Structures are given as C-alpha cells and as structure tokens.
Amino acid sequence: MAESAERAERGAAERRLPAALETAIGRIGTTLDEAMTCRELTAFLARHPGGTATIELTPAKGERSGPDATPPAPAAPPALPTLTVPLAVDRERPLGAVTLTRAAPPYTDDDLVLLRQAARLAARHIRHARRLAATEDVALHLQRALVAEPGRPHPNLEIAGRYLPAGPRTLVGGDWFETVRLHFGRSLLVVGDVMGHGLEAAVDMNAYRSALREVAATDLPPHRVLRHLDAVVAEDGARRPATCLLVRVDPGRGTATFASAGHLPPAVFGPDGSAELVELPVGPPLGTGVGGYEPATRALGQGDTLLLFTDGLVERRGEDIDASLARLAGLRLPPEPGPEQVVDEVLGRLDAHHAEDDVAVLAARVRVRPAG
C-alpha cells in the first residue's frame, strides 16, 4: 500500500512539471516589452508563498550571440536555499541572471528544471523585444533625419515644422513635410502620410518625397504635380498609397493655391488668433493611378498663418472626423500668432504628444517686409 502511494506521488510530481511549464508559456512573454516580460517572469517564479524572484539584466548595448558567445554559467546546486540560473537561450550570451529564493521547502531537481526553462523562455522574448526596439530606433532616426531637413523656402516665407512619433514605443510611420523653392519668389509646401507604420513606411515616405521634389522642380501647378506623382508611383506598384496636400504660396500676389490627394484640409489662423478650415476639392490618395486632382486658390492676408498637418494631429479613436476637425477650427490662439507659436499652441492644446498616430505639422506665414 505504501508502494502504491509512492508511485502515485511520483506520478503526480511528473505531471506537475509539464503543467507548470505550460503555465509559464502562457504567462511569460505576452508582449514585446522587456520590462513587462521581466515582471511576468518574477510573478510566475514567486507564485509560492514566501518565494522571491530577482532578475539582474545586462545592458542591451554590445550584445552578441552565436556559438562563440560566452556559455551560460553553471547553476547552483538544487538543494541550496538560493538558486540562480543565467537568463539565456542555449549558448547565446546571457542577458543577465535569475535568482529564486524561499525559506522552505528545499529546492528539488524539478524546481531547477522549471527555473531554467522559465528563464530561457523569458530570455527569448526579451531578445526579441530588444531587436524590435533596435529596429524601431533605426526607423525613428531615419524619420527624424528626413523630416528635420526639408528644402528651404524663399526668405519671404517664415516656416515651422514638427514631427512626433506615436505612442510610448515611438512607433514610426510615413508622415512627412517638405518645402520646395519655385520661381518668382513662390514656395511649395507639402505634407504627406504614407499608409502604415515602421521602417517600410519610412522608406516609402522617402521615395515619395524624392519623387515629389523632382516633379515639383518643373514648376507645374499643384494639382498637376499630384497627377504626375500619382502616375509615377502607380507605375512602380511596390509603394504603399499615400495622402498628400500641396500648397503653392505666392507672397507677391498674396495667394495660396491648394491641391489634395485624399488629405485633410489645412487651417488658416488669422491675425486675431481665430482658425478657419480651407474648403477644397479632394482627390484620391497617391498611388491609385486614378488622378482627378483639382486646384483651389484663396487669398492669404498679412498676418495669416497656414497650418498643414497629418491626421494624427486631430483624429481620435471612436470620434467622427468632422468633430475632430471642428475641435481644431474652434481653437483661439493669442493675437498675431507666428508659425512657431501656432505649431506649439496647436500641438499642446490638442494633446498631440499623446496621439495614437504619428503627427507631422508644417506652419507658414508670409514674412512682413520692413517699412521704407
């Protein structure tokens, strides 16, 4: 009878380890977030009363892996009150160490196996999270480098621009802004948004931007620039669709000519700080090959500041876009707001730093000529 009870106990112990490992798989690495994975690992290991789990991580910089990497350090004997294993996958360089302590009962071989497997599982997820973070960092620096150096408009135009990545993970998208010098003191202002996020969207954004610079150099009207750009991109077939808004500012005549490819309308802030959305015809996004872009021209008075933006500035989850645009149009800024103040005030009042999508804004005002 004692032998039967012993066999039953061994059988139960043999079933507990696979069940615990299955639980670990479901609870560790539920997100691609390094800190969250560490919290999940410690919570799983310290699930017994009186148990404590500690993780010591090495910095991500200088990480290396492969068969020539430092092998994991030997684990402590299972009977000791402190049990430590490397946070590593196979023979990759350890990301740190995991220590498990408890007053009682003493550790068993199964405890050591479970600790090693849980640490190995967490290490794999942490390494994936670090690789994703590194990729996003490359994309973010690429995006910032591209939007930080737009072409220079004529000196008769003041401009200010900002780019904000989306969310706590600084997820990069395909938003950009641009300025192009044209003949006779005119400047072309551009804001665009390639669909999607990540490095691929940033790369496509750069392709759109390069193509636009080339087409805009021909000094075609804005709607014809869009038609030509749409045809060029449609022939490629590998580029993602994009929305785009062009504004040709003519300070000498005091006019602005607009053309939109599926983009939200711009706003004009008057000298009194009030805002007005510009009504204009909207064609399809670039890359469809359909065309159908039309121009719209309006006067640009002294002290008026144009604001071009991508949808991340105004769109909010579950809200109709008309309500989102009305919020922008309802802003009242201090009198005589220049481009820098318009950008700062709008980003702050619309809480763009916490937007769910990335944001690009470009503001411009005709520079006032000194008297005499």
Side-chain angles (χ1 to χ4, degrees), residues 295-318:
T297 301
R298 63 159 286 166
L300 197 61
Q302 182 174 330
D304 285 346
T305 299
L306 279 168
L307 180 70
L308 288 65
F309 54 91
T310 56
D311 54 11
L313 176 68
V314 295
E315 284 189 344
R316 299 296 178 262
R317 188 186 300 273

Side-chain angles (χ1 to χ4, degrees), residues 12-368:
E14 290 173 356
R15 290 190 295 272
R16 280 197 296 269
L17 180 58
L21 291 174
E22 185 174 349
T23 301
I25 292 173
R27 294 184 180 179
I28 301 172
T30 61
T31 67
L32 281 174
D33 183 271
E34 181 175 334
M36 177 60 72
T37 299
C38 290
R39 286 194 291 268
E40 292 169 346
L41 175 60
T42 54
F44 172 77
L45 294 177
R47 67 195 186 283
H48 295 296
T52 302
T54 304
I55 300 174
E56 294 184 5
L57 284 174
T58 56
K61 187 177 181 179
E63 219 175 87
R64 64 187 179 94
S65 61
D68 61 338
T70 305
L80 295 179
T82 300
L83 195 59
T84 302
V85 298
L87 189 63
V89 178
D90 300 328
R91 291 180 60 82
E92 290 183 348
R93 184 186 182 111
L95 303 177
V98 185
T99 299
L100 183 62
T101 58
R102 70 176 181 227
Y107 290 111
T108 66
D109 290 341
D110 285 351
D111 291 326
L112 178 60
V113 171
L114 182 60
L115 177 58
R116 282 176 172 167
Q117 292 300 321
R120 184 175 184 273
L121 177 65
R124 186 178 298 279
H125 286 291
I126 290 173
R127 198 174 293 282
H128 287 166
R130 288 185 174 183
R131 287 171 180 166
L132 175 63
T135 300
E136 290 179 347
D137 187 61
V138 170
L140 178 61
H141 280 81
L142 170 63
Q143 180 83 350
R144 283 178 170 166
L146 291 172
V147 300
E149 298 181 3
R152 295 181 180 180
H154 284 283
N156 56 19
L157 205 62
E158 301 176 62
I159 65 166
R162 299 283 192 282
Y163 169 73
L164 301 177
R169 296 292 300 275
T170 61
L171 189 59
V172 174
D175 292 21
W176 90 95
F177 56 80
E178 178 66 280
T179 65
V180 181
R181 282 194 183 196
L182 302 176
H183 298 298
F184 310 114
R186 298 168 300 160
S187 294
L188 185 69
L189 310 180
V190 185
V191 120
D193 185 0
V194 177
M195 296 181 184
H197 293 92
L199 186 59
E200 293 82 3
V203 170
D204 280 354
M205 175 270 290
N206 188 41
Y208 272 102
R209 188 176 180 185
S210 298
L212 184 138
R213 283 176 172 174
E214 182 177 348
V215 176
T218 61
D219 209 3
L220 292 171
H223 66 291
R224 292 187 60 189
V225 171
L226 289 182
R227 290 178 190 173
H228 192 78
L229 186 59
D230 177 57
V232 170
V233 175
E235 289 177 0
D236 185 332
R239 301 298 175 195
R240 304 180 184 195
T243 66
C244 188
L245 174 66
L246 305 185
V247 185
R248 186 176 67 185
V249 180
D250 188 339
R253 296 183 177 181
T255 60
T257 302
F258 305 82
S260 173
H263 206 85
L264 293 179
V268 176
F269 286 86
D272 63 351
S274 63
E276 175 192 357
L277 296 177
V278 179
E279 295 186 6
L280 66 158
V282 180
L286 297 174
T288 63
V290 176
Y293 308 109
E294 299 298 333
T297 301
R298 63 159 286 166
L300 197 61
Q302 182 174 330
D304 285 346
T305 299
L306 279 168
L307 180 70
L308 288 65
F309 54 91
T310 56
D311 54 11
L313 176 68
V314 295
E315 284 189 344
R316 299 296 178 262
R317 188 186 300 273
E319 181 180 72
D320 185 83
I321 187 60
D322 289 336
S324 303
L325 289 172
R327 185 187 305 109
L328 170 63
L331 294 179
R332 187 66 179 254
L333 305 188
E336 300 292 337
E340 288 286 349
Q341 185 175 16
V342 166
V343 168
D344 290 339
E345 290 278 350
V346 170
L347 291 178
R349 297 194 188 190
L350 297 184
D351 196 23
H353 293 273
H354 299 98
E356 297 178 351
D357 197 1
D358 50 343
V359 177
V361 294
L362 177 64
R365 181 177 68 174
V366 174
R367 195 181 300 274
V368 178

